[in-house]
Amino acid sequence: MTVEQNVLQQHSQKHQQTLLNQLREVTGTTDVQLLQQALQVSNGDLGEAVAFLTEKNAKVPQQDETTYYQTSQVASDRYISVGSQADTNVIDLTGDDKDDLQRAIALSLEESNRAFRETGITDEEQAISRVLEASIAENKASLKRTHTEVWSDSPNPHDRKRIDNCPVGLKNVGNTCWFSAVIQSLFNLLEFQRLVLNYSPPARVHDLPRNQKEHRNLPFMQELRNLFSLMVGSKRKYVDPSRAVEILKDAFKSSESQQQDVSEFTHKLLDWLEDAFQMKAEEDREGEKPKNPMVELFYGRFLAVGVHEGKKFENTEMFGQYPLQVNGFKDLHECLEAAMIEGEIESLHSAENSARSGQEHWFTELPPVLTFELSRFEFNQALGRPEKIHNKLEFPSMLYMDRYMDRNREITRIKREEIRRLKEHLTLLQQRLERYLSYGSGPKRFPLADVLQYAMEFASSKPVCTSPVEDIDTSAPPGGTTGQQLPPPSTAEQDSLPPLESSGLASGPATAPSAAQQQRVPIHKPFTQSRLPPDLPMHPAPRHITEEELRVLEGCLHRWRSEVENDTRDLQGSITRIHRTIELMYSDKSMMQVPYRLHAVLVHEGQANAGHYWAYIYDPHQRCWMKYNDISVSKSSWEELVRDSFGGYRNASAYCLMYINDKKPFLTEEEFDKETGQILSGMDKLPPDLKQYVKEDNEQFDKEIEEWDIMQARKAQQEKLALATAAAAAASAASSTSTSSSSPQPMSIESSPPDNAVPQQDPEYMEQPSPTNDSKHLQEDTERAISRAAAEQEERSPEALLNAAIKMEYGRLLRFAQEDTPVENDYRLQHIIVYFIQNQAPKKILERTLLTQFADRNLAFDERCKSIMNVARAKLDLIKPEEVNMDEYEIWHQDYRNFRETTILMVTGLELFQKTNYVEALMYLIYAYQYNKELLLKGLYRGHDEELLGHYRRECLLKLNEQAAAMFESGEEPEVTTGLGIMNELVVPCIPLLLVHDAERDLLAVEDMRNRWCSYLGQEMESNLQEKLTDFLPKLLDCSTEIKSFHDPPKLPTYSTLELCERFSRIMAALGRVPTEGR
């Protein structure tokens, strides 16, 4: 097969890259756009493409020659050997000699093959290295970003601690989500996991010739073992795979960094593992052919049976990942059927020996792990870049492979022939049905049954003898400013007519009758009248039709319509039966003996040149699907998998399906201890060297937790000391101005607190050292309660008045807590006790809080209030630590402070959002949502409406995305830079916050934002904009699920309780509660 034929038959990205590499080597041209242009002009003919480029380069030979030698030195070491033979191998391509051209192409291919023999590195491996280069480059670049762009670990190690035996995630160390998806899928094949963990390098490894492959494979195998051991026994929620990725990167050297199809990485990864196990297998063999466990696990064989130019042939071939085309097929079986048959296959099993060519594939041996590579990327020759195919493709959770096996060849051929015949009949029936459902000869078609029904309705309508235009005044202007001359209405009609207001009838032309003589026209109002005026027919109707004509016509139309409906039902029934017959063609038991269960689905979201990868993996022990998305591992469902994997709905779709033989349970079964018979789990799975490795890592993590806890305890102790010092100072100031209490309690309030009492500083919203706005309104509430108690209480002692006042104040606040109020009136903001009651705080917490309110020194307005204040302070001093847990007391008050801070964040954010200041509003809404979510974890009434905050957080991000996109579309450099800055610094870092809980509306919002930017890929734009877009898209599409570490929260304005309530009420009333369907 010639190079030209090969190009015309293959349009894959991989082959396109190969052609570009060959053109670059032959001509020395490094301009990728120029190389692509040459391929387009030549229609894929490599010879013509070289001629096109050399014709252009002949005009500036010196520049191209320099570029060639620079490329030879930088790109790869293998070019050194080519340069040393420059005198003998350089061919003049500027002339018209076609032989020289062919020799140049052959020389390029020869050099490529010779380089592989010398280094063991193929062009394909060189291409794979570019993925790794891009990953490491992205990782290093991320270290240079500003803090607002960094995806960092949480400083609190407890946030990174593994919960029970939850699966361990993999950290995205920079554009490596593809690595995580592939490795997790393989790790969860327990047989593969055991092979890797128990792998030991060859004993004579130091005596072996250390070629390029061994330099790559053995260190990588060791790092893969280390990584797998951490995924088994680590105490961390997720682990870092950087060392394995670094080794992969170091294995190849390339001057380019561009994204390649990740399925290529999977293919090469298995190749590397196969090589590593092959070395071990050859060492362990005892006169027998060595068995490679990687080959036995992932590789199968098929028989290619065909005819080439009239000659029959049979070849057995080995396969690993089996490639399938997606375009044009609706499900996996259709893809497989198409992949198993190539060309015109009639000649394969026909009596005639024709010259037609074609072949069939029949599996002779299927691997335990059967992997299908779905080709969702194709190269667009016109645009010169790859594009993703978003078509929907369904696949089953259980796949029966019997119909593709060689042993069932004859049965399958019979069934395929039967299906072909049924489909031909099905096509004929569908064409007939279409004539019934789309009847007519014009551009608009209608169902025939409806046409007959409409004709019958027309014939049955009440006949009208006049023309529909006879009663229209043709002399009236188009605006209809003159009224129609109708007979005068009856008195009753006149009484019922509404008065005319600015109807246009009051001022007619000079020739019109006077206003008194004008007759009012009844106006049909479709939204206020229940029926049409009686003089206007509902439908057009025939002018003249006799009873006999109507009777005959109705009889014919009824009969015809019944016949059409019966024919339609019969056709639909036949079509349904044929579909069902085709579906059940392989459902007999003899064709359900080779079951393969879906193990993993690797999903790609985005476009061909940028995107994000994750995996759905089935857990047979929990009998559920798990979603592995970098560091995030969560339970999922078949419904979510279908939504993300089938395609056609969003930019996400499956690109790789991994099935396992359902009759070989060892693939996913746990290993048992040979002595005890118990299942091996956790650290027990690991060999001694890996146990020690994981143990050391866990000890390091435990130490990190311990150091964090010590630091936090020290910080808490310092805060307590500062609190106690402030309280002591406040108590000292109070004792210097207070007098002896008239309370019957024996303890004097001037005396210092007893040793067993813990001095506490009153919260700022309960007591202020000076009468601020907050304390004033609280003081007024307290004084009102005291006045009411004094008016209603017979006993006038300070203690009795205090008890009565507290009871009245509590009753008032209890009514507030139980009252059903509109959203803009939140009594929790007005008083802490309302918050405590609604959240069922302990009684002792309520009592101490109320006592604190009545112990406010600002109550010393008159002698009565002063004496009650002294009694309350004395009672506070007498409360023993065992009566009120002060730690719990402080936690409740801290929760209320958090609630107020969350409210301030929310109010400020919503106010800024209402003013369309989305940049400033975003951080307030982000933090308000996060703080509020933490509050709601403790109870339903601890925070605000989560849906409301989620709605405006989401809307703010969408507005910013819209603004940034509009700036990018402007094409102006400052606008473009500002727009991308908004995306990089605000929107992109916040996207994981929307993805972390998989809420449907948040997911759709992220999808909308990504789609907006992906839509630019197919548009023409300036090269600098294209470059910026290409640089930005991976950040947008490859967002890690790790929560971003922001700077400090926004600075909170200081609001008094009254002002906060007013602002909250005002903004909530202005915005209104968002309807549920609108969020």
Side-chain angles (χ1 to χ4, degrees):
M1 180 179 290
T2 66
V3 174
E4 179 181 359
Q5 289 171 332
N6 196 23
V7 172
L8 293 175
Q9 290 183 8
Q10 298 185 28
H11 299 287
S12 67
Q13 179 185 357
K14 172 185 169 183
H15 186 69
Q16 183 73 16
Q17 186 61 43
T18 302
L19 290 176
L20 291 175
N21 289 339
Q22 291 177 355
L23 275 178
R24 185 183 293 110
E25 291 174 5
V26 171
T27 64
T29 303
T30 57
D31 188 337
V32 176
Q33 292 183 349
L34 186 58
L35 292 172
Q36 290 175 344
Q37 182 187 358
L39 281 178
Q40 292 173 22
V41 169
S42 65
N43 240 353
D45 189 320
L46 190 58
E48 291 184 13
V50 172
F52 173 85
L53 289 171
T54 53
E55 186 176 301
K56 277 183 170 289
N57 296 345
K59 300 175 183 178
V60 281
Q62 184 60 41
Q63 180 181 354
D64 288 341
E65 186 179 1
T66 305
T67 306
Y68 171 75
Y69 285 114
Q70 289 174 349
T71 306
S72 301
Q73 293 170 4
V74 175
S76 174
D77 294 339
R78 65 179 179 157
Y79 293 111
I80 297 174
S81 61
V82 178
S84 63
Q85 301 174 4
D87 295 339
T88 59
N89 290 340
V90 173
I91 298 174
D92 181 15
L93 297 178
T94 59
D96 297 329
D97 192 345
K98 296 297 182 183
D99 291 337
D100 283 348
L101 186 60
Q102 294 300 324
R103 281 194 292 130
I105 296 172
L107 178 63
S108 171
L109 296 175
E110 180 186 347
E111 290 297 336
S112 180
N113 293 333
R114 183 158 61 83
F116 167 70
R117 290 194 300 270
E118 292 176 357
T119 66
I121 304 177
T122 64
D123 285 339
E124 188 177 29
E125 291 169 328
Q126 291 270 346
I128 297 305
S129 71
R130 295 182 190 117
V131 182
L132 305 170
E133 289 284 344
S135 300
I136 302 303
E138 174 71 16
N139 190 28
K140 291 181 178 179
S142 68
L143 299 177
K144 300 176 182 178
R145 295 177 188 160
T146 59
H147 183 67
T148 56
E149 294 177 296
V150 174
W151 298 94
S152 59
D153 290 331
S154 169
N156 184 353
H158 290 282
D159 295 339
R160 295 180 272 118
K161 189 174 182 179
R162 184 179 181 183
I163 302 173
D164 299 328
N165 290 320
C166 288
V168 174
L170 290 176
K171 185 178 180 181
N172 188 334
V173 294
N175 198 23
T176 55
C177 48
W178 47 270
F179 181 87
S180 173
V182 173
I183 293 298
Q184 290 283 17
S185 301
L186 294 174
F187 173 81
N188 281 277
L189 283 170
L190 298 186
E191 178 64 13
F192 179 85
Q193 181 189 120
R194 285 189 286 270
L195 288 170
V196 171
L197 291 174
N198 295 308
Y199 175 84
S200 58
R204 295 182 293 106
V205 68
H206 297 294
D207 301 330
L208 295 174
R210 300 287 288 184
N211 57 27
Q212 187 73 19
K213 285 186 177 181
E214 290 181 19
H215 274 294
R216 173 193 66 206
N217 295 338
L218 296 178
F220 176 74
M221 275 301 303
Q222 185 55 45
E223 283 306 326
L224 191 61
R225 291 181 72 237
N226 292 342
L227 182 61
F228 272 28
S229 67
L230 291 175
M231 293 167 73
V232 168
S234 179
K235 292 183 179 180
R236 302 176 191 267
K237 183 179 178 182
Y238 55 90
V239 294
D240 190 335
S242 295
R243 297 175 78 176
V245 174
E246 284 282 353
I247 287 179
L248 290 175
K249 186 267 298 187
D250 291 338
F252 307 105
K253 298 296 180 183
S254 171
S255 61
E256 299 179 17
S257 59
Q258 63 187 58
Q259 184 73 30
Q260 299 290 327
D261 192 342
V262 174
S263 60
E264 296 290 343
F265 162 75
T266 311
H267 175 70
K268 296 312 298 179
L269 174 64
L270 294 179
D271 278 353
W272 300 333
L273 295 176
E274 179 189 343
D275 290 341
F277 276 95
Q278 186 65 28
M279 287 187 287
K280 181 65 175 174
E282 289 176 354
E283 181 186 69
D284 296 341
R285 68 176 176 178
E286 298 177 0
E288 301 178 359
K289 186 178 180 180
K291 289 186 177 181
N292 191 316
M294 288 294 110
V295 174
E296 294 184 344
L297 201 58
F298 293 102
Y299 289 85
R301 288 180 173 81
F302 66 84
L303 185 67
V305 182
V307 174
H308 181 65
E309 296 180 354
K311 296 180 181 180
K312 294 185 178 181
F313 67 88
E314 285 192 8
N315 295 322
T316 299
E317 300 181 27
M318 181 178 285
F319 71 93
Q321 293 184 92
Y322 201 83
L324 296 175
Q325 293 297 323
V326 169
N327 216 359
F329 305 109
K330 69 175 183 179
D331 60 40
L332 187 61
H333 276 299
E334 284 193 3
C335 294
L336 275 166
E337 289 282 353
M340 304 299 281
I341 303 173
E342 297 179 10
E344 303 178 53
I345 65 164
E346 289 85 354
S347 58
L348 299 183
H349 38 82
S350 63
E352 300 177 2
N353 191 12
S354 67
R356 290 179 293 184
S357 299
Q359 64 176 323
E360 293 176 331
H361 290 177
W362 299 97
F363 293 118
T364 57
E365 182 183 344
L366 287 173
V369 181
L370 181 58
T371 305
F372 295 115
E373 174 193 324
L374 304 182
S375 299
R376 285 194 171 272
F377 300 99
E378 62 181 3
F379 195 85
N380 188 319
Q381 294 282 9
L383 296 177
R385 61 169 175 259
E387 290 184 339
K388 186 178 178 183
I389 302 169
H390 293 292
N391 298 359
K392 182 178 181 180
L393 183 80
E394 299 178 0
F395 48 85
S397 58
M398 185 67 74
L399 178 69
Y400 293 96
M401 295 294 293
D402 303 74
R403 70 185 79 173
Y404 311 108
M405 302 302 294
D406 182 54
R407 62 175 177 265
N408 297 324
R409 188 195 305 186
E410 297 306 320
I411 299 175
T412 300
R413 281 176 175 171
I414 293 171
K415 290 182 179 291
R416 283 178 180 170
E417 181 60 28
E418 178 64 15
I419 289 174
R420 186 189 63 79
R421 187 186 62 79
L422 287 172
K423 285 186 174 180
E424 287 178 356
H425 186 45
L426 181 65
T427 301
L428 183 62
L429 293 177
Q430 287 172 333
Q431 289 173 350
R432 288 180 181 175
L433 178 63
E434 184 65 18
R435 295 192 187 102
Y436 282 94
L437 298 180
S438 299
Y439 184 79
S441 57
K444 291 186 178 180
R445 309 292 180 91
F446 302 94
L448 180 53
D450 291 348
V451 173
L452 296 172
Q453 176 66 24
Y454 299 154
M456 191 157 53
E457 290 174 0
F458 173 77
S460 304
S461 298
K462 181 181 177 182
V464 178
C465 296
T466 60
S467 168
V469 298
E470 284 181 359
D471 57 348
I472 296 178
D473 185 2
T474 57
S475 64
T481 56
T482 58
Q484 300 174 7
Q485 300 301 312
L486 300 175
S490 63
T491 306
E493 288 174 336
Q494 289 180 0
D495 294 339
S496 65
L497 290 177
L500 294 177
E501 296 181 4
S502 63
S503 63
L505 297 176
S507 58
T511 57
S514 65
Q517 293 174 330
Q518 284 185 334
Q519 302 297 328
R520 291 176 177 171
V521 180
I523 300 174
H524 169 54
K525 299 180 179 180
F527 295 103
T528 57
Q529 288 183 200
S530 60
R531 60 184 179 86
L532 290 172
D535 55 345
L536 293 178
M538 183 70 73
H539 299 289
R543 302 277 186 85
H544 305 286
I545 186 169
T546 65
E547 291 294 331
E548 180 64 20
E549 288 173 337
L550 181 59
R551 184 179 61 78
V552 172
L553 186 56
E554 282 185 338
C556 292
L557 290 172
H558 270 296
R559 185 176 72 253
W560 295 340
R561 186 167 184 265
S562 298
E563 292 170 357
V564 168
E565 288 177 341
N566 289 335
D567 290 346
T568 303
R569 277 195 297 269
D570 290 344
L571 286 169
Q572 290 172 335
S574 297
I575 290 172
T576 302
R577 284 192 295 273
I578 291 177
H579 275 302
R580 185 64 176 162
T581 303
I582 293 174
E583 289 174 3
L584 299 176
M585 188 64 70
Y586 296 98
S587 61
D588 51 291
K589 287 188 177 180
S590 64
M591 301 298 284
M592 300 177 70
Q593 300 302 309
V594 189
Y596 272 76
R597 177 174 56 78
L598 186 62
H599 163 70
V601 179
L602 278 65
V603 180
H604 174 269
E605 180 182 30
Q607 299 297 328
N609 56 355
H612 181 57
Y613 296 88
W614 67 89
Y616 289 102
I617 303 172
Y618 186 71
D619 186 336
H621 308 292
Q622 296 190 53
R623 297 181 180 275
C624 70
W625 286 93
M626 304 292 291
K627 183 178 181 180
Y628 290 80
N629 192 355
D630 291 335
I631 68 169
S632 171
V633 182
S634 58
K635 280 190 176 182
S636 185
S637 64
W638 176 253
E639 291 71 26
E640 184 183 3
L641 183 153
V642 167
R643 184 194 68 192
D644 287 349
S645 306
F646 279 10
Y649 168 57
R650 304 164 58 191
N651 277 338
S653 54
Y655 75 91
C656 185
L657 305 177
M658 194 176 288
Y659 283 88
I660 58 176
N661 192 323
D662 203 41
K663 290 187 175 181
K664 296 185 177 180
F666 71 90
L667 292 169
T668 54
E669 275 186 351
E670 295 283 1
E671 190 176 1
F672 289 86
D673 188 288
K674 294 179 181 178
E675 296 180 0
T676 64
Q678 298 293 321
I679 294 178
L680 294 176
S681 60
M683 299 281 281
D684 295 334
K685 289 183 176 183
L686 305 178
D689 62 323
L690 294 182
K691 274 186 183 177
Q692 183 62 29
Y693 177 79
V694 175
K695 182 181 177 182
E696 291 174 1
D697 185 78
N698 285 341
E699 287 175 353
Q700 183 180 351
F701 186 60
D702 288 338
K703 185 178 179 181
E704 185 181 348
I705 292 177
E706 184 181 350
E707 290 174 352
W708 170 267
D709 290 342
I710 291 173
M711 183 178 69
Q712 295 304 307
R714 188 181 300 119
K715 185 186 291 186
Q717 186 65 29
Q718 290 172 352
E719 290 177 355
K720 272 191 174 182
L721 288 173
L723 207 63
T725 303
S732 175
S735 64
S736 64
T737 57
S738 60
T739 58
S740 298
S741 171
S742 59
S743 167
Q745 300 297 333
M747 179 180 176
S748 170
I749 62 170
E750 288 88 353
S751 62
S752 61
D755 294 340
N756 61 351
V758 181
Q760 294 289 328
Q761 184 182 26
D762 296 325
E764 60 181 3
Y765 44 82
M766 294 300 299
E767 177 180 0
Q768 301 285 340
S770 60
T772 62
N773 289 336
D774 266 1
S775 62
K776 278 183 179 177
H777 103 271
L778 196 61
Q779 177 184 341
E780 289 170 359
D781 290 342
T782 307
E783 290 174 353
R784 276 195 296 269
I786 292 174
S787 298
R788 286 182 57 198
E792 299 178 10
Q793 187 73 18
E794 294 182 1
E795 186 179 350
R796 297 300 179 124
S797 68
E799 187 170 11
L801 288 176
L802 173 63
N803 292 335
I806 287 178
K807 187 175 181 181
M808 289 181 179
E809 179 70 353
Y810 178 78
R812 178 181 75 90
L813 298 174
L814 179 62
R815 287 192 297 273
F816 285 162
Q818 296 173 342
E819 188 176 331
D820 188 12
T821 59
V823 67
E824 59 267 21
N825 293 333
D826 194 335
Y827 288 128
R828 293 175 299 173
L829 294 172
Q830 297 184 19
H831 205 291
I832 188 174
I833 293 296
V834 177
Y835 182 84
F836 283 177
I837 292 173
Q838 289 189 356
N839 290 289
Q840 301 177 346
K843 183 180 177 182
K844 293 291 185 181
I845 304 294
L846 293 171
E847 290 175 352
R848 182 179 177 91
T849 304
L850 280 169
L851 267 178
T852 304
Q853 176 180 331
F854 282 84
D856 185 358
R857 290 189 300 275
N858 293 319
L859 288 178
F861 179 72
D862 56 24
E863 286 302 320
R864 182 176 62 193
C865 290
K866 186 175 181 180
S867 60
I868 289 176
M869 179 267 290
N870 288 333
V871 172
R873 296 184 69 83
K875 283 181 174 291
L876 280 175
D877 291 337
L878 289 174
I879 295 177
K880 298 178 180 179
E882 59 267 20
E883 293 178 359
V884 177
N885 187 327
M886 292 309 296
D887 289 337
E888 185 182 15
Y889 178 85
E890 179 56 34
I891 288 172
W892 275 96
H893 280 262
Q894 183 60 51
D895 283 351
Y896 186 67
R897 284 191 286 269
N898 293 342
F899 171 71
R900 282 172 59 96
E901 288 178 4
T902 302
T903 306
I904 294 172
L905 285 168
M906 182 179 76
V907 168
T908 308
L910 291 176
E911 288 174 342
L912 290 168
F913 181 90
Q914 196 179 31
K915 296 173 183 176
T916 68
N917 189 348
Y918 305 120
V919 172
E920 290 188 32
L922 180 63
M923 284 300 103
Y924 285 98
L925 293 174
I926 288 290
Y927 275 97
Y929 183 88
Q930 293 302 116
Y931 290 174
N932 190 66
K933 194 167 189 66
E934 292 174 11
L935 288 171
L936 292 177
L937 291 175
K938 294 185 176 182
L940 182 62
Y941 300 104
R942 292 293 188 114
H944 295 286
D945 185 350
E946 185 176 13
E947 287 191 10
L948 182 75
L949 270 172
H951 170 80
Y952 283 102
R953 178 185 70 160
R954 186 168 56 248
E955 285 299 308
C956 193
L957 282 168
L958 287 170
K959 295 286 188 184
L960 285 172
N961 185 73
E962 191 69 24
Q963 285 184 355
M967 291 177 178
F968 182 81
E969 289 174 2
S970 72
E972 299 294 332
E973 184 63 30
E975 292 283 298
V976 171
T977 302
T978 302
L980 291 177
I982 289 174
M983 295 300 296
N984 284 322
E985 296 176 14
L986 295 176
V987 178
V988 171
C990 293
I991 284 181
L993 299 174
L994 299 185
L995 297 176
V996 70
H997 296 295
D998 285 342
E1000 181 66 22
R1001 290 189 179 88
D1002 287 345
L1003 292 176
L1004 290 175
V1006 173
E1007 183 69 16
D1008 289 343
M1009 288 187 277
R1010 288 175 171 173
N1011 284 344
R1012 176 66 182 268
W1013 290 91
C1014 286
S1015 67
Y1016 298 140
L1017 286 172
Q1019 300 180 17
E1020 293 296 329
M1021 63 180 71
E1022 295 180 5
S1023 58
N1024 66 318
L1025 291 182
Q1026 184 69 49
E1027 184 179 347
K1028 290 177 184 287
L1029 181 65
T1030 305
D1031 179 62
F1032 164 68
L1033 273 179
K1035 301 173 188 175
L1036 178 67
L1037 295 171
D1038 190 16
C1039 287
S1040 168
T1041 51
E1042 187 175 349
I1043 302 303
K1044 176 185 175 296
S1045 175
F1046 293 107
H1047 276 300
D1048 297 327
K1051 187 175 181 180
L1052 295 181
T1054 302
Y1055 294 152
S1056 68
T1057 296
L1058 184 62
E1059 186 180 7
L1060 179 59
C1061 291
E1062 288 177 352
R1063 296 180 81 108
F1064 178 84
S1065 178
R1066 189 161 55 244
I1067 190 63
M1068 296 306 291
L1071 295 174
R1073 192 174 182 87
V1074 178
T1076 304
E1077 64 272 13
R1079 298 190 206 134

